[in-house]
Amino acid sequence: MALFGVALDIEVKRINYEIRLVLRRQGLKEVKALTPVFEMFDARGDKKLTIKEFEAALKKCGLFLKIVDVQALMKYYDVEREGFMPYADFIEGLKDQLSEERKKAVEKIFAGLDPKKTGKVSIDDLCKWYSVDKNPDFISGKKTREELLKEFLAYFEHYPTYKDGYITKDDFFDYFANISTLMIDDDQFAEMLEETLKAPEEEKGEDEEMIKERVDTLVKTVRNRLLTLAKTQDEYFLRNLLNQYDSDKSGGIDVEELTWLLYKLGIAVDRKYIEALLKRFDLNNSGAIDYEEFCSFIIENPYTK
C-alpha cells in the first residue's frame, strides 16, 4: 500500500522509534555515531545512498528492516525524488525532541556557561568546563582528557560559528538532543549532563572556608592512604609514585592525573575540590605538582598549609 502525507509521517515515526529501541539495546551513546558507517557505503562521496547501499548500511549498523520500511524511509527523506537517501537527514531524523524536564536541565547548564545571557558559549569555556572525572574511558585509562575533549568538540565543528570560536545556544541544545535520544531515564540524562560540563554555577552556595575545610580533610585522607600503601617515605618510592601517575612524563601531576590518582585510591570527590587540592600544593603555580611539592603533599602535616 502506497503511503503519502500524514500516513507516511506516522509510519516513519514508528520506524524511527523502533530503530532507536534497537540502538539503545546495542548500547550506542549517540545517533551521530552512525555517520561513519553510512559514509563507508557512500562510494560517490555525495552524502547520498542508493536503496541497496542504504539497506547495506543499515544492516552494518545491526538494523534489519523490512523492505517496505526501507522503502518508506527512502520515500520520506528523498524529497528531491532522485532515488537516493540523504543519510545525514535520516540520522538527524532519528533524534528525539528534548522533553520539558530535559530542556530545563540543559538550560541550567547553559545558563551557568553563559552568565551574561549572550546566547553563545566560547569554545575556550567549553574546554575549561568539560569534565572527564566520571567518564569510564578516562577512569579506565583507555582515553586521555585531550582525546575525549577532541571527540566532544568534533560534534560542533560542522556548525558555522565554530570557526569563529563559539557555539550558539541552539547548537548546544542540538548536541544534547543527540545524546538524549538514546537515553530513556531522565535522571540518568541529568546526571550525565552535570558530569559532562561542570558549569561555574555549581560553585555557588559554598564559601571559601567550607571548601578549605573539605580540602583539609581530603589532604589528610590522601596522605594516609598513600603512606599506608607505601609503608615508607623514602625518595625512591616517592619518585616512583610520582612517575606512575605522571602519564605525560612532564615531571609533575596535573589536575587530570591527580583525578586518576584519587580514583585509584578509592576517593570520589568533585572536581572543584581536586582543583583546590592541586592549587594548594602547586606552590610555583605551574599547573602541576612537581617532585618537591609532591613530597610536601605526602610527608608534611596536612593541616599546616
Side-chain angles (χ1 to χ4, degrees), residues 14-236:
R14 175 192 65 78
I15 298 168
N16 284 346
Y17 174 75
E18 291 178 356
I19 289 174
R20 288 195 291 269
L21 289 180
V22 173
L23 295 177
R24 285 169 183 163
R25 287 197 294 268
Q26 291 177 354
L28 196 69
K29 295 181 179 179
E30 54 179 297
V31 292
K32 285 289 185 181
L34 298 174
T35 301
V37 179
F38 281 82
E39 288 175 342
M40 289 169 54
F41 294 86
D42 183 10
R44 295 168 302 281
D46 58 1
K47 306 295 182 182
K48 298 176 182 180
L49 301 178
T50 65
I51 188 168
K52 288 186 177 181
E53 292 169 339
F54 179 54
E55 190 173 13
L58 288 171
K59 290 179 179 178
K60 185 72 174 178
C61 295
L63 302 168
F64 299 92
L65 276 59
K66 298 176 182 177
I67 186 61
V68 291
D69 288 347
V70 175
Q71 290 170 343
L73 291 172
M74 289 288 294
K75 186 173 184 178
Y76 183 82
Y77 289 106
D78 181 20
V79 295
E80 301 295 332
R81 299 295 179 259
E82 298 174 326
F84 294 98
M85 165 61 79
Y87 56 85
D89 293 343
F90 163 70
I91 294 171
E92 183 71 17
L94 287 175
K95 287 195 304 187
D96 252 345
Q97 294 295 315
L98 288 168
S99 66
E100 286 304 313
E101 187 170 348
R102 296 189 184 194
K103 282 181 181 178
K104 289 178 182 178
V106 177
E107 182 70 51
K108 178 183 176 182
I109 295 296
F110 188 83
L113 295 169
D114 180 30
K116 295 182 179 180
K117 302 185 184 305
T118 63
K120 59 186 181 182
V121 176
S122 74
I123 301 301
D124 287 344
D125 280 344
L126 270 187
C127 293
K128 177 180 178 182
W129 297 108
Y130 179 71
S131 174
V132 296
D133 295 357
K134 298 183 180 180
N135 186 294
D137 286 340
F138 176 76
I139 291 173
S140 67
K142 183 178 178 181
K143 294 181 180 179
T144 65
R145 181 181 188 275
E146 289 68 28
E147 290 171 331
L148 291 167
L149 177 61
K150 185 177 180 180
E151 291 176 4
F152 174 66
L153 294 178
Y155 183 87
F156 300 101
E157 289 178 354
H158 69 282
Y159 289 113
T161 61
Y162 183 86
K163 64 179 184 299
D164 297 320
Y166 68 91
I167 62 169
T168 66
K169 186 175 183 178
D170 287 343
D171 300 342
F172 189 81
F173 270 71
D174 184 68
Y175 171 79
F176 284 105
N178 173 50
I179 300 293
S180 170
T181 295
L182 299 180
M183 299 184 75
I184 300 175
D185 188 84
D186 284 343
D187 290 337
Q188 181 189 10
F189 176 78
E191 183 179 352
M192 174 279 300
L193 185 63
E194 292 176 359
E195 289 175 359
T196 301
L197 287 166
K198 298 290 187 181
E201 185 181 64
E202 297 183 9
E203 300 282 337
K204 296 179 181 179
E206 188 170 16
D207 60 31
E208 290 184 9
E209 186 58 33
M210 291 177 65
I211 293 177
K212 180 181 180 299
E213 291 176 4
R214 181 70 179 87
V215 174
D216 284 343
T217 303
L218 179 59
V219 170
K220 184 177 181 181
T221 302
V222 174
R223 178 177 181 269
N224 287 342
R225 293 197 185 183
L226 285 172
L227 291 178
T228 299
L229 177 68
K231 298 180 181 179
T232 179
Q233 294 181 1
D234 67 29
E235 180 178 346
Y236 177 77

